[in-house]
Amino acid sequence: MQNPVFIPGPTNMPEFLRKASDVPTMDHRSSAFAEVLHPALSGVRQVIRAASAEVFLFPSTGTGGWEAAITNTLSPGDRVLAARHGMFSHRWIDLCQRHGLDMQIVEAPWGAGLPADRYREILTADRDHRIKAVLATHNETATGVVSDIAAVRAALDAAGHPALLMVDGVSSIASMEFRFDDWGVDIAVTGSQKGFMLPPGLAIIAFSDKAMQAVERARLSRGFFDIRDMRRQYAAGLYPYTPPVGLICGLKASCDYLLAEGLDAVFARHRRIAEGVRAAAGAWGLPLAALSPDLYSQTITAIRTPAGVNASEIVTRAARTYGMAFGTGLGELAAKSFRFGHLGLLTEAMALSGLSVLEMCMADLGLALRPGSGVAAAQEVYRATVAPNSGWPPERALRDTRISDER
Ligand SMILES: *Cc1c(COP(=O)(O)O)cnc(C)c1O
């Protein structure tokens, strides 16, 4: 039994999902494959709260999902509006530039949310609709910041602007509220190894009707990621090349599980764990990278260290001395912060073990903090909010989905 990980993906895998992904060889041209594929697609639709979005699964990762989103809907030289406020928004912009898109970039502080007001001004000024897409990183995993996607949709609507709204939900989908239809999302992107608690290897993307209409017009080159091939083959219960059958079986099981636990319960569980982690940071006297409470992510907390303390040393010490993985600071926050990932499979008890190891590391490195103070603050939160029998996974959900932990 190894220690849990506290990196913001890949996340800890429940045994029943790891087993669900480990299937004997299956002929993917048989009807057995279609019986897994279609429920997996419909499960994803329910998790993102989309009534009719088209979902596609590529053997890839979230990054591949970004590429599939843009190459299927845009043309060389198209203008794209994006904000840079962390490493992941930065990397999506970089990918777009490599494809020859004309990026209109709003620079925002690392720790801030998406500047919806700025988006609104820019979209309103863009009278001849040269902007074809607006990118939004729902949850900036580098800073632990969640942004208001409904506000971005409102900015588009206020400007009467037809650009596609493309949302990176890699570290939010399946762990935090995500409302594809209500927010008017045109493309959502995620991967298998974060909220779905599966091994890495799947890009999961959803397209609205409007995004589907852009597919034929798009002239960026695409081969492997052409969703038209996926779409044709899905209709026949097939796949355009060899599918990662195990991961798709895992995805079906993960959706079954999440929907049986109940999305609201899943999100509440993440919020509860996150509040304990934030309470610990407060007790240590360490500020968060997120600039205000309305921006706090429920899946990842980036904690700043005092000047002169290299945060990477804390992460290295945790790994080398105590065998526990945390996230390092990224980009502008490199060495200035460390990250505690709290998404996917996690209980209060697991979170307390992570906080406790961090305290040992910080004490070992001579930081002025009282060991136990962060753990005690988190305990207070968890004692006050814990649900009865909050062992994980809830047995009822396992029973309802008839997922066996034994197999
Ligand atoms: C992890 C992550 C990605 C990158 O996903 P990969 O699966 O590593 O390609 C993109 N965006 C966000 C917000 C992420 O957290």
Side-chain angles (χ1 to χ4, degrees):
M1 181 83 174
Q2 63 176 32
N3 284 328
V5 298
F6 297 95
I7 47 177
T11 59
N12 301 298
M13 285 187 283
E15 199 56 9
F16 68 87
L17 286 185
R18 197 177 63 74
K19 286 176 182 163
S21 311
D22 180 2
V23 294
T25 305
M26 182 191 285
D27 174 7
H28 59 273
R29 307 192 66 82
S30 70
S31 61
F33 174 66
E35 283 163 24
V36 181
L37 175 66
H38 285 286
L41 300 173
S42 116
V44 170
R45 255 193 304 276
Q46 291 176 67
V47 168
I48 63 173
R49 305 204 205 258
S52 63
E54 293 204 36
V55 175
F56 303 97
L57 308 175
F58 286 96
S60 185
T61 68
T63 306
W66 286 340
E67 183 152 315
I70 61 170
T71 56
N72 279 291
T73 53
L74 300 174
S75 300
D78 274 357
R79 185 166 291 175
V80 174
L81 175 61
R84 176 157 38 212
H85 59 132
M87 197 62 182
F88 292 90
S89 43
H90 165 70
R91 283 180 43 205
W92 199 4
I93 290 169
D94 175 61
L95 186 95
C96 290
Q97 286 171 330
R98 294 187 204 192
H99 281 280
L101 295 170
D102 173 17
M103 300 305 292
Q104 179 157 0
I105 303 167
V106 180
E107 301 288 349
W110 286 41
L114 278 171
D117 291 346
R118 226 13 232 127
Y119 273 16
R120 181 177 174 149
E121 285 165 20
I122 292 168
L123 291 164
T124 305
D126 182 36
R127 290 213 174 71
D128 45 358
H129 298 162
R130 295 198 47 208
I131 295 170
K132 301 300 178 202
V134 175
L135 307 188
T137 300
H138 182 210
N139 191 72
E140 233 317 337
T141 317
T143 56
V145 163
V146 65
S147 286
D148 185 352
I149 302 301
V152 177
R153 165 47 63 197
L156 279 154
D157 290 351
H161 203 293
L164 295 171
L165 173 55
M166 302 189 184
V167 181
D168 173 343
V170 182
S171 61
S172 57
I173 287 173
S175 310
M176 289 165 63
E177 187 81 75
F178 191 95
R179 309 194 77 93
F180 189 93
D181 286 349
D182 291 352
W183 296 343
V185 175
D186 290 304
I187 302 182
V189 176
T190 188
S192 49
Q193 80 278 21
K194 298 199 181 175
F196 287 110
M197 306 172 284
L198 296 168
L202 273 188
I204 301 165
I205 56 175
F207 277 50
S208 69
D209 278 354
K210 188 169 144 193
M212 290 308 300
Q213 284 163 26
V215 171
E216 290 301 332
R217 291 195 299 275
R219 283 181 293 104
L220 278 181
S221 65
R222 66 205 113 139
F224 184 80
F225 284 122
D226 197 327
I227 62 169
R228 290 170 296 188
D229 297 329
M230 281 280 168
R231 191 178 202 220
R232 256 193 306 276
Q233 297 288 323
Y234 287 3
L238 298 169
Y239 202 81
Y241 31 81
T242 313
V245 171
L247 284 169
I248 295 172
C249 290
L251 183 62
K252 175 189 176 301
S254 178
C255 293
D256 285 350
Y257 172 72
L258 291 163
L259 295 165
E261 184 180 349
L263 293 178
D264 291 336
V266 171
F267 304 152
R269 173 161 61 76
H270 281 80
R271 174 178 297 276
R272 206 163 60 230
I273 303 266
E275 278 169 1
V277 173
R278 291 192 288 263
W284 296 329
L286 299 179
L288 305 188
L291 293 173
S292 58
D294 56 311
L295 300 173
Y296 291 166
S297 164
Q298 311 304 345
T299 61
I300 153 87
T301 300
I303 301 173
R304 285 181 175 272
T305 48
V309 176
N310 182 346
S312 302
E313 286 180 16
I314 299 170
V315 175
T316 304
R317 183 150 190 101
R320 296 228 177 110
T321 308
Y322 301 108
M324 202 174 262
F326 296 89
T328 51
L330 297 176
E332 282 187 16
L333 293 171
K336 294 180 193 157
S337 71
F338 60 87
R339 295 176 304 141
F340 191 116
H342 34 77
L343 69 163
L345 160 59
L346 216 58
T347 60
E348 286 83 356
M350 288 161 79
L352 288 169
S353 75
L355 295 171
S356 157
V357 165
L358 280 174
E359 288 186 343
M360 290 198 283
C361 296
M362 291 190 283
D364 294 347
L365 294 167
L367 266 78
L369 64 89
R370 197 160 40 80
S373 57
V375 170
Q379 285 171 336
E380 286 303 309
V381 172
Y382 297 152
R383 289 178 58 225
T385 57
V386 73
N389 304 318
S390 81
W392 202 95
E395 275 183 33
R396 180 194 50 77
L398 278 182
R399 208 170 47 236
D400 291 356
T401 50
R402 274 173 274 135
I403 295 169
S404 167
D405 218 357
E406 312 273 302
R407 220 166 69 187

